[in-house]
């Protein structure tokens, strides 16, 4: 059980972006041999560690100010050819294409150093 592992809160928040149907529609219009379905696209999504903010408003502002980095990372996860990406990568489109979830408490259950790999 959990009592046998470390449960340390870390000084990070977590951002999870789950695709919405407009993103899936765009994805399926690009170069997809087999259609992607919304349900499967929402199952295993990238979780982003973000700074630990004092308020939800600060976290929301951070995501709004940095939306393009998150947007482009998700596009790259699905399609590596940037020429295929939509040219209008606006914050409005980002908010239409993804459900934005911010979690303020992140608990590390592993008692080992975090290893970072540069992209």
């Amino acid at each position: 059980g959990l009592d046998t592992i470390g449960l340390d809160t870390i000084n990070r928040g977590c951002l999870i972006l789950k695709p919405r149907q407009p993103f899936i529609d765009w994805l399926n219009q690009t170069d997809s041999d087999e259609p992607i379905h919304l349900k499967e696209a929402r199952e295993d999504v990238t979780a982003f560690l973000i700074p630990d903010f004092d308020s939800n408003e600060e976290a929301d502002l951070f995501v709004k100010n940095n939306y393009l980095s998150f947007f482009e990372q998700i596009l790259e996860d699905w399609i590596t050819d940037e020429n295929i990406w939509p040219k209008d990568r606006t914050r409005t489109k980002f908010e239409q294409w993804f459900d934005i979830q911010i979690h303020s408490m992140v608990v590390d259950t592993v008692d080992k150093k975090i290893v970072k790999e540069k992209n």
Side-chain angles (χ1 to χ4, degrees):
L2 287 178
D3 57 340
T4 61
I5 60 175
L7 292 175
D8 297 319
T9 303
I10 63 172
N11 62 341
R12 296 286 185 274
C14 180
L15 168 66
I16 295 174
L17 301 169
K18 291 194 172 190
R20 290 179 161 178
Q21 193 61 50
F23 175 72
I24 301 304
D25 293 342
W26 171 81
L27 199 57
N28 285 328
Q29 290 170 7
T30 56
D31 66 343
S32 196
D33 295 332
E34 227 172 275
I36 307 291
H37 299 285
L38 182 64
K39 184 176 182 292
E40 68 188 51
R42 290 173 65 93
E43 285 175 357
D44 185 17
V45 296
T46 301
F48 298 92
L49 292 179
I50 62 173
D52 184 19
F53 293 103
D54 292 332
S55 70
N56 291 341
E57 292 77 20
E58 285 179 298
D60 289 340
L61 187 59
F62 174 81
V63 173
K64 285 179 178 171
N65 288 339
N66 294 283
Y67 85 90
L68 190 57
S69 296
F70 299 120
F71 200 171
E72 291 180 347
Q73 179 61 53
I74 293 175
L75 290 171
E76 172 132 348
D77 289 346
W78 286 96
I79 297 176
T80 54
D81 184 353
E82 293 181 26
N83 296 314
I84 297 173
W85 294 1
K87 300 290 180 252
D88 58 332
R89 297 189 287 275
T90 62
R91 196 172 84 211
T92 298
K93 183 173 292 241
F94 174 73
E95 292 171 354
Q96 290 169 344
W97 280 15
F98 304 99
D99 282 328
I100 301 167
Q101 299 175 348
I102 298 172
H103 302 274
S104 59
M105 184 170 293
V106 177
V107 176
D108 189 355
T109 64
V110 180
D111 192 21
K112 290 184 181 174
K113 186 175 193 256
I114 293 176
V115 177
K116 294 183 179 185
E117 295 177 16
K118 293 287 183 196
N119 285 345

